[in-house]
Amino acid sequence: MSKRFVLIVEDTLPMAALYEEYLRDAAYDVAVAGSLRQARERIAVRVPDAIVVDIGLPDGSGLDLLKDIRAQGLPTEAIVVTVSGSMNLAVEAMREGAYDFLVKPFDRERLIVTLRNALERRRLADAVVEIREEFGRDRYFGFVGASLSMQGVYRIVDSAAPSKATVFVTGESGTGKEVCAEAIHKRSPRAKAPFVALNCAAIPKDLLESEIFGHVKGAFTGATADRAGAALQADRGTLFLDEICEMEPNLQGKLLRFLQTGQVQRVGGAKPESVDVRIVCATNRDPVAEVAAGRFREDLFYRLHVIPIQLPPLRERDGDVLLIARDLLKRYAREERKKFGGFAEDAEALLAAYPWPGNVRELQNVVRSTVVLHDGDAIEAAMLPDKLRGRGAVVARAAIVSSAAPTQSGPYDVPPGAPGSPLRPLWQIERDAIEAAIAACGGNVRRAAAFLEIDASTIYRKKQLWEDRGRT
């Protein structure tokens, strides 16, 4: 690993030589500049990891150099050097982004410790940027989502895309399997070549072979000309086979042969044709169960299932519902020429609470229909479909009734206040209802709050009150 580069900006040559001597054995690559102009020239050639800069320079102030670094966004930590009595300048330097300041005179240990701390902060800042780039993406090649589960998907796509290995995408309907396939293609070296998608469930079984491999003129009734299938159309690119488990066993064997040989034979044709294509396939079924049931060839499964990607359902993507909904609202409002600027708080609570069995596709439909049927500055809860608005009150009532149900044969067999009595303080019944709702929502307090039709902050406040009661 290369040494950290430290630039000393000091116009007094004996002092510059002394600082350089201090750092000689500290494993840094050190350079010296005697003026603001020289410092700028050095930085233009090589950006330092840190600078030690005197505020008073012959052609300007060290503060000007700090402003340059800040304006350009350079990854450089600055330590300013000042003389006793100029603390106001040191404070100003800190405002301009300096890490720390040194008051002349200072010894070797003070300089090295300050510099070491500054460089450690830079290292941590760089690590944070790297983590944010890798784990903080809220958009990725057609995906919208910042949840941890989606960050995992993005990382797999990043790793898999450069390869030619087959990718097998699984997930519920509406989770974005084709979006995932396109992301793999766009992220790969094949991005400029064709991406061809074929839904095996949407094509009649007797035509699927022709759709994949093509046919020659006269191969069957209606084949009036030679036609290249999806595999040939995707040459040097990516072929996406959606709902692969819908494929007939006979065609599965032909697909396996194509994967083994890299050659396709058109329906009715006699001459195989070589093709270079990357295969991505998908299904909303459990492929292992399909193999066990004898509906999907085991040898084909292992040919296809090289890199598996499991797309999480929307209900398991914490926070992504609102992120996607806002993105969709912006798009649909623009398309429909509506003035919606966002969602009201009560509408967001309902969107976050609903389990979305149809996943992103269902969310798309809900947002679009709401935009089409209403108008206003913001979408409110009353504008959303009944299936979202009616759910919270039902769950809340069920939780309260369940928690308050009598445990004895008669409602007053046990005196009020005694253990087991159905008559309890209201705060206990309320606590049980809230805890039941949180448990039913898998620990998601915001979703539980939406079901109970209260603010999440109310739950946190009440939980604190219950904890205080427990300590008294």
Side-chain angles (χ1 to χ4, degrees):
M1 187 175 67
S2 61
K3 292 181 179 180
R4 293 280 197 159
F5 176 40
V6 177
L7 177 62
I8 297 171
V9 187
E10 171 62 62
D11 62 314
T12 305
L13 292 181
M15 296 300 297
L18 180 62
Y19 301 159
E20 196 172 9
E21 178 69 23
Y22 283 168
L23 300 177
R24 178 172 295 171
D25 299 324
Y28 297 126
D29 188 1
V30 181
V32 175
S35 66
L36 199 59
R37 180 182 60 81
Q38 289 180 2
R40 286 169 171 158
E41 289 174 352
R42 289 223 176 240
I43 291 173
V45 174
R46 182 183 178 187
V47 177
D49 296 292
I51 63 168
V52 178
V53 55
D54 197 343
I55 288 182
L57 295 170
D59 55 349
S61 168
L63 295 178
D64 295 331
L65 191 59
L66 265 62
K67 291 175 182 177
D68 290 349
I69 290 171
R70 188 173 182 181
Q72 297 176 53
L74 300 180
T76 302
E77 292 295 334
I79 299 168
V80 298
V81 177
T82 183
V83 295
S84 179
S86 58
M87 293 302 296
N88 289 338
L89 284 175
V91 171
E92 186 179 349
M94 302 288 278
R95 291 197 187 104
E96 292 297 336
Y99 169 74
D100 203 348
F101 65 91
L102 298 171
V103 179
K104 294 179 180 179
F106 51 85
D107 59 17
R108 176 181 182 275
E109 188 65 23
R110 178 78 172 91
L111 174 61
I112 289 178
V113 169
T114 304
L115 188 57
R116 184 186 300 133
N117 290 342
L119 289 171
E120 177 62 13
R121 187 176 84 157
R122 170 51 46 192
R123 186 190 68 79
L124 293 174
D126 292 343
V128 168
V129 170
E130 185 176 340
I131 289 170
R132 282 177 177 167
E133 289 177 349
E134 188 170 359
F135 294 101
R137 295 174 283 191
D138 60 4
R139 281 166 177 76
Y140 181 85
F141 291 102
F143 279 115
V144 176
S147 61
L148 190 59
S149 57
M150 290 307 297
Q151 301 301 324
V153 171
Y154 304 158
R155 290 193 67 192
I156 295 174
V157 172
D158 283 339
S159 300
S163 167
K164 190 182 175 180
T166 304
V167 179
F168 203 121
V169 185
T170 56
E172 297 177 7
S173 293
T175 50
K177 294 186 286 295
E178 185 167 346
V179 176
C180 183
E182 287 193 80
I184 293 168
H185 175 73
K186 291 175 182 176
R187 184 75 172 78
S188 76
R190 300 170 176 263
K192 294 183 179 179
F195 172 83
V196 180
L198 205 62
N199 189 321
C200 299
I203 300 170
K205 291 179 171 55
D206 55 346
L207 294 179
L208 186 56
E209 181 179 356
S210 171
E211 288 294 322
I212 297 175
F213 301 122
H215 61 256
V216 298
K217 181 180 179 179
F220 50 84
T221 303
T224 58
D226 290 354
R227 182 178 183 277
L232 286 167
Q233 293 172 32
D235 190 27
R236 300 185 182 280
T238 303
L239 174 60
F240 174 53
L241 298 175
D242 198 5
E243 303 303 345
I244 187 74
C245 288
E246 299 291 338
M247 187 177 288
E248 289 286 303
N250 181 52
L251 187 52
Q252 290 178 29
K254 295 180 179 180
L255 179 61
L256 177 62
R257 186 168 63 250
F258 162 57
L259 293 173
Q260 292 170 334
T261 64
Q263 294 183 323
V264 300
Q265 188 162 336
R266 305 189 194 204
V267 176
K271 183 181 178 182
E273 300 173 69
S274 296
V275 63
D276 174 18
V277 66
R278 179 29 165 343
I279 300 291
V280 179
C281 58
T283 182
N284 60 6
R285 298 185 184 182
D286 179 354
V288 176
E290 294 298 301
V291 170
R295 292 186 291 268
F296 199 78
R297 291 181 59 134
E298 185 176 15
D299 48 1
L300 177 59
F301 170 74
Y302 286 116
R303 270 280 177 179
L304 294 173
H305 202 265
V306 179
I307 301 175
I309 297 180
Q310 172 71 44
L311 293 182
L314 190 53
R315 62 183 172 275
E316 295 178 6
R317 294 170 53 180
D318 287 343
D320 283 354
V321 170
L322 296 180
L323 194 65
I324 297 169
R326 291 171 189 143
D327 187 75
L328 292 171
L329 179 61
K330 186 184 300 183
R331 186 200 315 171
Y332 296 153
R334 184 172 59 250
E335 290 177 2
E336 301 294 336
R337 298 182 180 180
K338 298 293 182 76
K339 58 183 181 180
F340 289 117
F343 294 90
E345 188 175 346
D346 57 353
E348 288 196 345
L350 291 180
L351 290 171
Y354 186 67
W356 300 106
N359 295 294
V360 178
R361 189 176 295 121
E362 183 183 11
L363 179 58
Q364 290 173 332
N365 293 340
V366 165
V367 176
R368 181 179 279 281
S369 65
T370 305
V371 169
V372 169
L373 297 175
H374 300 88
D375 206 348
D377 295 326
I379 289 181
E380 300 174 356
M383 299 178 183
L384 294 172
D386 290 343
K387 64 181 179 182
L388 274 72
R389 288 188 287 112
R391 185 178 178 83
V394 171
V395 173
R397 284 196 297 270
I400 293 172
V401 169
S402 173
S403 67
T407 57
Q408 305 295 323
S409 57
Y412 302 110
D413 289 352
V414 180
S421 172
L423 295 180
R424 295 178 296 150
L426 182 60
W427 70 268
Q428 291 182 3
I429 297 173
E430 185 180 54
R431 178 194 61 192
D432 292 348
I434 290 176
E435 290 179 346
I438 293 173
C441 294
N444 189 317
V445 172
R446 182 168 184 170
R447 183 175 295 175
F451 282 147
L452 297 171
E453 298 181 355
I454 60 176
D455 290 335
S457 60
T458 301
I459 292 182
Y460 288 117
R461 187 173 64 252
K462 289 182 178 294
K463 285 169 69 70
Q464 184 62 53
L465 288 173
W466 302 330
E467 290 175 6
D468 294 342
R469 282 178 181 269
R471 286 193 290 266
T472 57

